[in-house]
Amino acid sequence: MLGYALLFAAVALLPLLGAYPIFVMKVMCYALFACAFNLLIGFTGLLSFGHAAFLGAAAYGAGHALKVWGLPTLAGIGFGVLMAALAGLAFGWLAIRRSGIYFSMITLALSQMLFFFFLQAPFTGGEDGLQSVPRGTLLGLDLTSDLTLYYVVLAFFAFGFWLIYRTVNSPFGQVLTSIRENEARATSLGYDVDRFKLVAFVLSAALAGLAGATKTLVLGFATLTDAVWTTSGAVILMTLVGGMGTLLGPIVGALIIIALENKIGDLGKALADLTGVAWFNGLGESVSLVTGLIFIICVLAFRRGVVGEILHRWPRKRP
């Protein structure tokens, strides 16, 4: 816990060191999204192909509550999390009836159904999305200031991470791990496996919703990109790159992927100036190509992910 506290203290100092607050807040939102997904796949062994549905449900729910209904900021975020949790309850109740690839495909199908609902529903703005979502105030703090909002988002992120940490290191979390390792044996020990899976699914969806609602607050809009299937693929990539089944892995993975998406153009220009190869100037338009190559490299050479490989190679004291 001391190490995690030092990590969050370092993140709190980033704006004072010249970091762009909006970029770091975006990384924290997606890092929380990846941590929520990792709770499901890394510690329960359930692979969801439709986790973007919960990010999008909370993003639209919080945006509509803040902009149209005029709810206070905390209530709007809470409404978004509630929408994501309810969607997770419905998805989980249907999906846990199957296992393996069938479970994954059911979540993908349900996610696509929700995506088309967002596309056609009048309150979402269709392809234009929900724009100009106000930030409002929180406990007397004016959130129109990027610096003030930064520490509010950091508090949400720290709360979400703490909740995941407590869940993993609790008897409930140990049961989830046993389900991941040997579901049949967990059943034979008397555990209601389906009930544990459903609770884990809803908890993961709610935390993904917290990430989605916070992202809408930071960026001021919610669009179809939040709920599209490629976002579900992106969170899988973040978890695998960082290290599935580790607490810090999804955070590192989110930082790598978001940094590439936002800075790959600058990197390509620098490589073009350094090597004289004009092709690098178009690297900013080939983000999918770069992330695909990273995914291939991780699968072939770093199957445990960045953090997973570090922990595997870290020298441990022997008794």
Side-chain angles (χ1 to χ4, degrees), residues 57-102:
Y60 279 117
H64 188 78
L66 293 172
K67 180 181 179 179
V68 180
W69 295 343
L71 292 183
T73 300
L74 192 59
I77 292 177
F79 179 77
V81 174
L82 177 62
M83 292 297 99
L86 291 176
L89 180 62
F91 281 29
W93 183 76
L94 293 170
I96 62 172
R97 300 169 183 270
R98 295 292 180 265
S99 60
I101 190 62
Y102 303 104

Side-chain angles (χ1 to χ4, degrees), residues 179-220:
I179 294 173
R180 180 196 65 189
E181 296 296 332
N182 194 325
E183 182 176 338
R185 187 170 184 180
T187 302
S188 69
L189 291 174
Y191 293 107
D192 188 346
V193 170
D194 287 345
R195 182 167 60 90
F196 277 92
K197 285 183 179 179
L198 182 59
V199 173
F201 198 97
V202 173
L203 179 59
S204 177
L207 288 170
L210 178 60
T214 306
K215 187 193 74 64
T216 297
L217 192 67
V218 171
L219 302 181

Side-chain angles (χ1 to χ4, degrees), residues 243-260:
M244 185 175 65
T246 64
L247 289 173
L248 291 180
I251 300 176
V252 175
L255 175 61
I256 293 173
I257 300 302
I258 299 300
L260 280 175

Side-chain angles (χ1 to χ4, degrees), residues 13 35 81 99 138 155-156 168 188 265 275 281 291 299 319:
L13 295 175
C35 288
V81 174
S99 60
L138 180 64
F156 285 146
V168 170
S188 69
T275 62
N281 286 320
T291 54
V299 169

